[in-house]
Amino acid sequence: MAIESFTGNANPYGGGDPYADYRTADFPFTQYANLAARELGAGVIAANDEFFAQRENLLISEAAHFDPEDFGHKGKVMDGWETRRRRGISATQPWPTPEDHDWALVRLGAPGVIRGIVVDTAHFRGNMPQAVSIEATNWAGALAPTPEELQGDDVKWTTIVPRTPVGGHAANGFEVDAPQRFTHLRVNQHPDGGIARLRVHGEVLPDPKWLDALGSFDVAALENGGSVQDASNRFYSPPTNTINPGRSRKMDDGWETARRRDNGNDWIRYQLVAESEIRAVEIDTAYLKGNSAGWASLSVKTGEEGEWTEFLPRTRLQPDTNHRFVLDTPAVGTHVRIDIFPDGGFSRLRLFGSLTESGAAALTARHQELGG
């Protein structure tokens, strides 16, 4: 599938809704989680320059904000990462060289396999980079690396987005075909300019040794390698919120569906980190007060072709409440489905247990295959 691309400046801001002329496209990889989410622990650990706007803005979860009247001592205040204009070496050579560029080092919140990247230049209309390139590496050390260590000569960087022209005030999307586990990115903008947001979509690949040391853990959690496969409805908020770290902080930090006007029900289907034995469950409806699900049930299966087996029968839920269930018999499988009745939502699902012997072996083999 070809991704629509944008190049060059956008029109100057002319008033009204600043997103009215924002350029974007449908990207085939956005169903994957954002590995660079601050909620997962991602960070921009270094940049060579951030004169106009600080590097940390790249990972803010909300869309970039624009205030046309907001100016500071350095110039226009921008909600993104923006560097100063590069210059050449002399009056006779005032232009930057083709090799000149600015860079930022990004630590992924969860190491994994990257499927696609969005370099968002929202509100950078004539001050975006001319082009971007992105490199990735897998840091295998026991300690988190310093910026200096990441830039050492012994670190192997893989180019996952070659130098490519980008457009201003646009969502610039790039599919990534690099079946490896990565922990850090180096984002380059050529020769200078500003980027509002960075989104790194992919599959979390946890360290099997860490999960083995934990023993019992949440086998559906995004940070542990769980994922959402599909959901019946995504009207108000995405189902991936239900496996995000921590407790929900507000209503839209969970999953909420449109109101049903039929006799059906809504559901989410999850893929666990690997085959697991589930022994306890939490269903949290925090901040969903007049719109929480009325009832919920849970089913499990092994493999894509397996048969669903119910392990938590349809159970009454209360609004704005964390519900805990200890299972009399462990539920074993690779996929879990939650059905809510009739509609509404919940904020978090936690499935506590451990990997089976075959699940642990499969995760270890995949980790090694992808360079972990």
Side-chain angles (χ1 to χ4, degrees):
M1 174 182 176
I3 297 176
E4 184 176 358
S5 61
F6 310 98
T7 57
N9 295 349
N11 292 325
Y13 174 63
D17 178 7
Y19 274 104
D21 60 342
Y22 177 69
R23 299 179 287 178
T24 188
D26 291 328
F27 303 126
F29 48 76
T30 52
Q31 75 272 21
Y32 295 104
N34 178 19
L35 304 182
R38 285 291 301 175
E39 294 80 1
L40 283 175
V44 186
I45 62 174
N48 72 303
D49 186 280
E50 47 187 330
F51 185 87
F52 285 113
Q54 61 189 17
R55 63 184 192 256
E56 286 85 0
N57 290 336
L58 282 172
L59 305 187
I60 293 174
S61 58
E62 294 81 14
H65 173 71
F66 180 73
D67 181 351
E69 304 299 326
D70 193 4
F71 286 83
H73 292 294
K74 293 182 178 181
K76 182 71 186 73
V77 175
M78 295 296 290
D79 185 8
W81 168 49
E82 185 181 5
T83 66
R84 73 194 79 197
R85 299 187 188 219
R86 282 185 170 270
R87 296 292 184 246
I89 59 174
S90 68
T92 57
Q93 298 182 44
W95 308 279
T97 70
E99 291 74 32
D100 287 341
H101 67 277
D102 293 318
W103 54 264
L105 295 177
V106 177
R107 179 191 65 245
L108 298 180
V113 180
I114 299 170
R115 301 301 185 188
I117 292 177
V118 177
V119 176
D120 189 349
T121 58
H123 316 302
F124 290 91
R125 294 171 175 269
N127 52 344
M128 71 292 168
Q130 183 183 39
V132 299
S133 63
I134 300 175
E135 303 159 278
T137 189
N138 181 47
W139 182 264
L143 299 176
T146 66
E148 293 74 22
E149 288 172 330
L150 277 176
Q151 297 176 86
D153 293 337
D154 58 335
V155 177
K156 177 186 176 183
W157 290 92
T158 299
T159 298
I160 59 174
V161 176
R163 183 169 175 165
T164 307
V166 294
H169 197 44
N172 300 277
F174 305 93
E175 280 195 276
V176 175
D177 182 16
Q180 302 174 52
R181 180 183 190 263
F182 294 119
T183 60
H184 294 78
L185 300 184
R186 184 160 58 196
V187 180
N188 305 305
Q189 50 178 349
H190 308 269
D192 53 38
I195 298 170
R197 297 289 188 266
L198 178 74
R199 305 293 186 235
V200 183
H201 296 279
E203 303 170 69
V204 176
L205 184 59
D207 184 348
K209 292 182 180 178
W210 173 253
L211 297 184
D212 183 59
L214 292 179
S216 186
F217 58 93
D218 182 358
V219 298
L222 180 60
E223 60 188 326
N224 293 332
S227 61
V228 168
Q229 279 197 316
D230 201 1
S232 60
N233 189 281
R234 304 164 187 259
F235 191 87
Y236 285 113
S237 45
T240 303
N241 284 351
T242 62
I243 54 175
N244 274 345
R247 298 292 183 192
S248 174
R249 297 165 296 168
K250 52 184 179 176
M251 189 174 71
D252 67 351
D253 194 16
W255 175 58
E256 183 187 358
T257 71
R259 298 190 186 208
R260 277 190 170 268
R261 303 306 187 197
D262 58 21
N263 291 329
N265 73 282
D266 288 315
W267 51 266
I268 303 176
R269 186 170 71 243
Y270 303 91
Q271 182 167 329
L272 308 181
V273 55
E275 186 181 70
S276 305
E277 182 180 274
I278 303 165
R279 295 184 291 272
V281 172
E282 284 187 1
I283 303 174
D284 193 353
T285 59
Y287 293 99
L288 292 150
K289 298 182 178 182
N291 49 358
S292 67
W295 294 262
S297 65
L298 289 167
S299 303
V300 67
K301 71 174 183 177
T302 298
E304 294 290 350
E305 306 303 321
E307 295 290 329
W308 291 107
T309 301
E310 188 176 75
F311 66 92
L312 182 71
R314 193 178 303 188
T315 302
R316 177 74 192 183
L317 301 180
Q318 296 297 323
D320 196 27
T321 301
N322 190 28
H323 308 76
R324 290 179 170 174
F325 309 94
V326 177
L327 303 181
D328 294 331
T329 302
V332 178
T334 56
H335 297 72
V336 164
R337 173 179 166 133
I338 185 168
D339 286 271
I340 62 170
F341 302 88
D343 56 20
F346 60 96
S347 61
R348 296 290 188 269
L349 175 68
R350 305 299 189 205
L351 303 175
F352 295 104
S354 55
L355 300 182
T356 64
E357 186 175 339
S358 61
L363 180 61
T364 297
R366 185 163 187 257
H367 190 263
Q368 293 173 344
E369 177 188 355
L370 296 174

